[in-house]
Amino acid sequence: MAKTLIRWFKPSMDLPAFRSRNYRLYFAGQSLSMTGSFMTQVAILWLIYKATDSALLLGISGFLGQLPVFLLAPVSGILADRYNRKHLMILLQVLGISISIALMIVSFLGWANFWVLLSLGTLSGVLKGLDVPIRHAFVTDIVNREEMNSAISLNYAFLNTARLLGPAMGGIAIAKVGAGFCFLYDSVSYIAVLVALFAMQIAPRKVESHGKHPWHNLKEGFKYAYAVLPIRTLLLLLALASLLNMSYATLLPIFSVEVFQGDAATMGFLTAASALGAVFACLYLSFRKGIQGLHKLIAFCPASLGVAMIIFSYSHMFWLSVAALTLVGFSSTLQVAASNTVIQHGVEESKRGRVMSFYTMCFMGMSPFGNLILGSSAHAIGAQNTLAIGGMVCIVGSLLFVKFLPAIAQWVQVGLQSHPSVPSQSAQ
């Protein structure tokens, strides 16, 4: 099966990451698994709403499913620095398939009540909170430094493609054959990831001593991330954009119905526009050679995101709103992926996992809080004003970030000189 996975994803274009056998395996397995994960998310929400007919309980379920990403990311970062990341990835896949099988069983047997779905959905969120920082750090174990930019960009490409395809496939599956088959697909997709992981040949890396207390490890990682000015400013800018603008999807139903007098299909087009922009951003970064100038793109992204969000906020022309959201998806994903790349190139290897956990908190961990802020603000001053104000704040943040560009450029250059590229054992 491993040979089949590699053959499916043999590089047909000059994408540096695909030169690595390990990354081809990783890409093949994760592409299937991510689609299954989004199908599962849709199926859980559908079953909860069908069982309760309550928007409040649906919101509570979504909040509990997202909150562990923020709470557990630091723990995951410590694990990524102290233990073998491949072994951690295998363990997480086994836990993931266990949850998916449990969801499949309760769905097929008719036991999928609110409390069962809430419990399993929250467990899935806990697993995601542990998985994301480890997965981000693991990418650096399977590619060379020259391939890192391409690998990180491709990760976001298949993530956003799965975000586009997964809900659509899930919706079709629920309508045609039932939600249980979404969980069945997700369970099977984990097997592809496990096969890919076992087939990888990864050179051993030096891991941090277990003598230190985990709390000391966490404080050490936080002090490092705060003391290094480029890391601190990159994370703060990412947190700002994530908190105020990347949770805008919460308000899309309002725009779909009240502004465009549409329905779920209207919201689907708007969501797809953002996902399409995200895929374009990832493909652009995948073909981009080197990381020179990425810090300038990062500075530009929140400003373009803010402008696009302001346009979307007050637009009453559907085509203009679709174009604006395409730019929103492009700008936000470009910032997220480019920030990841720049940080990974400059961070100390011994602290990579912990720094990536803080990155995850600033990126994905802001989602539940952003949803609460945007929802409360929209109730008080309206959805259009809420998104417009968020866009303006992002523009200001982008302007303030510009003054740190020279320091970031120097830090990246030092990192490139201090960590020369060494081909991995299984790069070819």
Side-chain angles (χ1 to χ4, degrees):
M1 186 174 179
K3 291 182 179 179
T4 302
L5 289 173
I6 296 174
R7 188 166 58 249
W8 283 356
F9 288 90
K10 281 277 188 179
S12 59
M13 295 178 292
D14 187 21
L15 291 171
F18 280 152
R19 299 169 191 161
S20 166
R21 174 182 179 274
N22 283 335
Y23 187 79
R24 294 197 298 272
L25 284 165
Y26 176 84
F27 185 93
Q30 288 291 332
S31 296
L32 296 173
S33 181
M34 284 291 178
T35 303
S37 296
F38 281 103
M39 290 176 68
T40 289
Q41 290 180 20
V42 168
I44 290 176
L45 293 176
W46 171 262
L47 290 175
I48 286 177
Y49 190 70
K50 185 179 178 181
T52 64
D53 197 30
S54 170
L56 176 61
L57 294 179
L58 196 62
I60 292 174
S61 174
F63 179 77
L64 292 177
Q66 294 172 340
L67 188 60
V69 176
F70 180 83
L71 297 179
L72 295 179
V75 177
S76 177
I78 294 173
L79 294 174
D81 285 337
R82 294 178 64 147
Y83 298 98
N84 185 296
R85 293 167 189 158
K86 176 181 174 179
H87 295 166
L88 291 172
M89 289 284 290
I90 291 172
L91 175 60
L92 290 172
Q93 306 316 304
V94 172
L95 294 175
I97 196 173
S98 302
I99 295 174
S100 292
I101 290 174
L103 284 165
M104 180 181 64
I105 291 173
V106 299
S107 177
F108 282 133
L109 296 180
W111 298 343
N113 60 50
F114 171 72
W115 293 109
V116 170
L117 292 168
L118 181 66
S119 300
L120 291 174
T122 303
L123 282 176
S124 182
V126 169
L127 188 66
K128 186 177 181 180
L130 293 172
D131 173 76
V132 174
I134 293 173
R135 187 151 33 89
H136 280 308
F138 179 65
V139 171
T140 65
D141 293 343
I142 60 177
V143 296
N144 297 329
R145 290 186 66 85
E146 299 101 330
E147 301 162 351
M148 193 184 301
N149 179 37
S150 175
I152 292 172
S153 303
L154 283 170
N155 285 355
Y156 286 102
F158 68 66
L159 172 62
N160 284 284
T161 302
R163 189 181 70 175
L164 185 62
L165 296 178
M169 292 170 59
I172 294 172
I174 292 170
K176 298 294 183 181
V177 292
F181 285 90
C182 293
F183 305 133
L184 175 60
Y185 175 90
D186 194 24
S187 301
V188 174
S189 71
Y190 276 107
I191 297 176
V193 181
L194 286 170
V195 170
L197 287 170
F198 279 114
M200 290 181 187
Q201 300 172 5
I202 301 175
R205 66 178 181 86
K206 183 180 179 180
V207 297
E208 189 172 289
S209 171
H210 295 183
K212 297 180 181 178
H213 192 277
W215 179 246
H216 179 272
N217 290 134
L218 182 60
K219 289 195 296 183
E220 182 183 56
F222 179 80
K223 288 180 179 178
Y224 171 77
Y226 183 81
V228 179
L229 178 64
I231 295 179
R232 184 172 78 237
T233 52
L234 286 166
L235 292 182
L236 286 174
L237 186 67
L238 182 60
L240 176 69
S242 298
L243 186 66
L244 296 179
N245 279 97
M246 294 184 191
S247 299
Y248 70 91
T250 304
L251 304 181
L252 282 186
I254 298 175
F255 285 87
S256 301
V257 175
E258 296 184 6
V259 177
F260 300 111
Q261 288 76 47
D263 52 17
T266 306
M267 187 176 72
F269 276 113
L270 295 175
T271 304
S274 176
L276 184 63
V279 172
F280 285 152
C282 294
L283 291 177
Y284 163 72
L285 286 174
S286 297
F287 286 101
R288 194 177 188 277
K289 297 186 182 297
I291 67 167
Q292 286 74 17
L294 271 186
H295 57 297
K296 296 179 181 178
L297 283 178
I298 294 171
F300 173 76
C301 285
S304 61
L305 169 64
V307 170
M309 195 60 72
I310 293 171
I311 293 173
F312 173 76
S313 299
Y314 296 116
S315 168
H316 286 79
M317 294 180 288
F318 187 69
W319 67 267
L320 181 59
S321 295
V322 168
L325 285 185
T326 302
L327 180 57
V328 166
F330 182 89
S331 301
S332 58
T333 303
L334 189 63
Q335 180 187 354
V336 169
S339 297
N340 188 329
T341 302
V342 171
I343 291 173
Q344 295 260 35
H345 271 84
V347 69
E348 292 181 9
E349 177 59 37
S350 63
K351 300 177 180 64
R352 186 181 302 278
R354 281 163 288 178
V355 171
M356 294 317 297
S357 75
F358 300 136
Y359 166 88
T360 302
M361 293 173 68
C362 292
F363 167 36
M364 300 179 66
M366 291 293 105
S367 181
F369 305 105
N371 289 338
L372 290 177
I373 291 174
L374 292 187
S376 302
S377 177
H379 178 73
I381 63 175
Q384 292 176 305
N385 291 331
T386 295
L387 293 187
I389 291 173
M392 294 175 190
V393 173
C394 280
I395 293 173
V396 173
S398 189
L399 293 174
L400 293 175
F401 180 80
V402 169
K403 71 176 183 178
F404 299 107
L405 289 180
I408 295 173
Q410 182 179 6
W411 178 71
V412 171
Q413 189 61 36
V414 170
L416 290 173
Q417 295 172 353
S418 302
H419 305 285
S421 177
V422 179
S424 63
Q425 290 182 353
S426 55
Q428 301 301 326

